[in-house]
Amino acid sequence: MSKQYNHAINHMGLSVPNLEEALKWYTEVLGFVSLGPTIVEDRSINPDTAVFRICPPGFNKVKVAYLTTGNGVGLELFEFLDPKMDPNLASSFESGRDFRRGGIFHFAVTVPDVEAMAKKAEEHGGKRIAQTVRVFGEDGVYIQDPWGNGIEVISTSWEQLLCNRSAGNLVVD
């Protein structure tokens, strides 16, 4: 039996209603780095570009920005221009996200000071979802970006958070 390969997360993509605002928020608040200019892909001009060959039909024009995080995991920000994103359908913890719905629930960012990051997010249009809690001796809090995407802010890496814990010992402080 061959050993299972531990694959790395390469990148994730988020849909946002305004790419410039989201790019500013993710670079100024979370410190992610933009990897170049934004790109606009238009099916009527270039129907064979990768985004139109990979994704199912249903959109004709999209604006994309590429960012990188502190550990090299990528973040793509998509603003769908045709058809436009419907803000009434956006995910949001605050508006009573339907937890029965599948899909991305949140992503997490490691920071040295979760309170400072939660405050910074709020100062830039984000929201604190709940109070800061202790998780296995570390601070953690849920925030959301201005478009309702859930972000867990935690004070240590995933591996350090869970190392040396047995399955029966996975409880929150």
Side-chain angles (χ1 to χ4, degrees):
M1 182 173 187
S2 64
K3 181 179 177 184
Q4 178 65 34
Y5 184 79
N6 187 6
H7 296 278
I9 292 180
N10 181 282
H11 71 277
M12 64 188 122
L14 293 178
S15 176
V16 295
N18 184 302
L19 188 74
E20 288 75 21
E21 289 177 9
L23 183 59
K24 182 177 179 180
W25 197 88
Y26 278 95
T27 57
E28 291 183 2
V29 176
L30 296 182
F32 295 173
V33 176
S34 176
L35 295 177
T38 60
I39 296 169
V40 175
E41 297 289 0
D42 187 328
R43 187 183 299 272
S44 68
I45 296 170
N46 191 2
D48 293 324
T49 192
V51 70
F52 297 125
R53 290 192 344 250
I54 292 170
C55 298
F59 71 92
N60 298 308
K61 192 171 184 181
V62 63
K63 194 181 325 182
V64 185
Y66 304 99
L67 296 92
T68 188
T69 65
N71 61 341
V73 174
L75 177 66
E76 288 179 298
L77 298 174
F78 291 88
E79 178 185 348
F80 294 101
L81 301 171
D82 179 17
K84 294 287 284 176
M85 179 179 175
D86 182 346
N88 296 321
L89 299 177
S91 66
S92 176
F93 276 76
E94 189 174 64
S95 66
R97 181 188 198 283
D98 186 348
F99 294 100
R100 298 169 297 174
R101 184 177 151 247
I104 302 292
F105 174 60
H106 72 275
F107 65 92
V109 178
T110 305
V111 301
D113 185 339
V114 299
E115 284 299 317
M117 180 55 69
K119 183 177 181 193
K120 187 174 185 180
E122 289 176 304
E123 290 169 352
H124 288 82
K127 295 181 180 157
R128 176 189 293 261
I129 303 304
Q131 66 184 11
T132 299
V133 297
R134 299 288 290 169
V135 182
F136 307 129
E138 299 291 338
D139 290 333
V141 67
Y142 275 84
I143 62 173
Q144 70 181 29
D145 69 14
W147 307 279
N149 295 301
I151 304 168
E152 180 180 357
V153 180
I154 194 144
S155 61
T156 193
S157 72
W158 181 249
E159 289 172 334
Q160 287 298 312
L161 183 68
L162 297 177
C163 73
N164 300 320
R165 293 190 176 26
S166 66
N169 206 13
L170 294 177
V171 295
V172 176
D173 297 351

